[in-house]
Amino acid sequence: MNEPPIRHAEPSDYQPIIAVVNDWWAGRRMSDMLPKLFFVHFQTTSFVAEQDGKIVGFVTGFVSQTFPEEAYIHFVGVNPMSRKSGLARALYERFFTTVQNLGCRTVRCVTSPVNKDSIAFHRSMGFSAETNGSEKTIDGISVFEGYDGEGEDRVLFYKALGDNRDGY
Amino acid sequence: MNEPPIRHAEPSDYQPIIAVVNDWWAGRRMSDMLPKLFFVHFQTTSFVAEQDGKIVGFVTGFVSQTFPEEAYIHFVGVNPMSRKSGLARALYERFFTTVQNLGCRTVRCVTSPVNKDSIAFHRSMGFSAETNGSEKTIDGISVFEGYDGEGEDRVLFYKALGDNRDGY
């Protein structure tokens, strides 16, 4: 199977994505975390993969406005039918190249400690986890309790990008 | 009563805000819409107002990375005890001045059609509503059905900033 082509996200990609994103996350209510603004105001650092005219994966993120040498990945989603194909990796790599060309040297993201697939994925992509000395850990990784509000624990990942523009 | 001083938001402001934001919104579950990332990566365009050592209001937004001459206000909150004091207006004005100095000429935001106070506030601040020709309107304003996902109707506001840097 050929890799689906990856292109910049557009506002019109939002409706087909938001309609399926909870299903892609096995029923977890993720849609509140993905307002349309990411597909309007962060198109330069947001991407979709299409196959046979259908969106099968996407990533959305931005360049930090506080720390212009840092980029942040807010949300990634891949159709369960398209998993294990390297598509999430390809979307991340496209994001890395893009933000590196925009002058970023670090990529950050957060994920939920219950999402073991996400933790394994980020580790396989070369991300490291922030430590906070908390006793609460998952697989040896620090959990930041209530990071995104009450009950919303998070694991904090970061990855250094190479300091040349050819690779990362 | 003196106006509470307004300063840039910092990551440490997030926990006291996220702990009260649902209460400030009369129990509506707003916290999912306000991940910590806004207090980390958009500090330059996010502000808090403090009185007697307590945060009584905040606004968070950013400069659009797709359209660098546009800014977007994502979330504003004011303690109900501090309403009708002009604090929301003062927070917005601080945001306007800041993004105008960053080169923006338009400010955008979206709000829920059920939030009549928000609609009245934005009109009083000189915002106009986008029209879409839909038959669904509220007080004569177009409603964008499902804009932020199923059941998440929105009204879309925009405001032109002045083209000099002294006022707006």
Side-chain angles (χ1 to χ4, degrees):
Chain A
M1 192 172 71
N2 290 333
E3 270 197 11
I6 292 172
R7 60 168 173 78
H8 280 282
E10 296 176 12
S12 59
D13 296 323
Y14 181 72
Q15 291 298 338
I17 286 173
I18 203 67
V20 298
V21 74
N22 292 338
D23 292 339
W24 284 8
W25 286 77
R28 274 180 71 193
R29 186 172 168 84
M30 304 301 285
S31 52
D32 288 345
M33 294 170 54
L34 192 61
K36 186 171 179 176
L37 67 89
F38 288 96
F39 288 72
V40 177
H41 295 297
F42 300 112
Q43 291 177 47
T44 39
T45 49
S46 299
F47 300 94
V48 301
E50 264 181 332
Q51 194 150 49
D52 303 327
K54 281 193 143 181
I55 294 171
V56 291
F58 69 96
V59 64
T60 183
F62 52 79
V63 176
S64 172
Q65 293 183 351
T66 309
F67 311 108
E69 291 191 355
E70 292 188 7
Y72 183 90
I73 293 178
H74 176 57
F75 210 108
V76 61
V78 172
N79 186 324
M81 309 275 284
S82 299
R83 291 195 188 150
K84 310 288 179 199
S85 67
L87 181 52
R89 171 176 292 269
L91 287 162
Y92 264 52
E93 289 176 350
R94 179 69 174 266
F95 181 88
F96 294 162
T97 306
T98 302
V99 298
Q100 197 167 17
N101 285 333
L102 292 170
C104 295
R105 302 181 66 156
T106 306
V107 175
R108 294 187 184 278
C109 61
V110 310
T111 195
S112 170
V114 302
N115 194 340
K116 295 204 172 191
D117 287 346
S118 172
I119 291 171
F121 168 71
H122 285 94
R123 283 176 143 173
S124 79
M125 291 297 293
F127 281 82
S128 304
E130 300 271 5
T131 56
N132 63 354
S134 158
E135 286 184 13
K136 193 164 182 179
T137 58
I138 180 149
D139 298 339
I141 292 177
S142 288
V143 172
F144 288 68
E145 289 185 72
Y147 181 84
D148 268 333
E150 190 182 348
E152 299 294 334
D153 297 352
R154 296 289 183 267
V155 167
L156 277 55
F157 281 116
Y158 66 94
K159 175 184 169 70
L161 299 174
D163 57 6
N164 68 71
R165 297 193 171 191
D166 297 316
Y168 44 84
Chain B
M1 192 170 75
N2 290 332
E3 271 199 8
I6 292 173
R7 60 169 174 76
H8 279 283
E10 295 177 13
S12 59
D13 296 322
Y14 180 73
Q15 291 299 337
I17 286 174
I18 203 67
V20 298
V21 74
N22 292 338
D23 292 339
W24 285 7
W25 285 78
R28 275 179 71 192
R29 188 175 167 83
M30 304 302 285
S31 52
D32 289 346
M33 294 170 54
L34 192 61
K36 186 170 181 176
L37 67 89
F38 288 96
F39 287 72
V40 177
H41 296 297
F42 300 111
Q43 291 177 49
T44 38
T45 50
S46 299
F47 299 94
V48 300
E50 263 181 333
Q51 194 149 47
D52 304 328
K54 280 193 145 181
I55 294 171
V56 291
F58 68 97
V59 64
T60 183
F62 51 79
V63 175
S64 171
Q65 294 184 349
T66 308
F67 311 108
E69 292 191 356
E70 292 188 8
Y72 183 89
I73 294 178
H74 175 56
F75 210 107
V76 61
V78 171
N79 185 323
M81 308 275 285
S82 299
R83 292 198 186 148
K84 311 288 179 196
S85 67
L87 182 53
R89 173 177 290 269
L91 287 160
Y92 264 52
E93 288 178 350
R94 179 69 175 264
F95 181 87
F96 294 162
T97 306
T98 302
V99 298
Q100 196 168 17
N101 285 331
L102 292 169
C104 295
R105 302 182 65 156
T106 307
V107 175
R108 294 187 183 278
C109 60
V110 309
T111 195
S112 170
V114 302
N115 194 340
K116 295 204 171 191
D117 287 347
S118 173
I119 292 172
F121 169 71
H122 285 94
R123 284 175 143 175
S124 79
M125 292 296 294
F127 281 83
S128 303
E130 301 271 5
T131 55
N132 63 354
S134 157
E135 286 184 15
K136 193 165 181 179
T137 58
I138 179 146
D139 297 339
I141 292 178
S142 288
V143 171
F144 288 69
E145 289 186 71
Y147 181 85
D148 269 331
E150 191 182 347
E152 301 293 334
D153 296 352
R154 295 288 184 268
V155 166
L156 278 55
F157 282 116
Y158 65 95
K159 176 185 168 70
L161 300 173
D163 58 4
N164 68 72
R165 297 196 172 189
D166 298 313
Y168 45 83

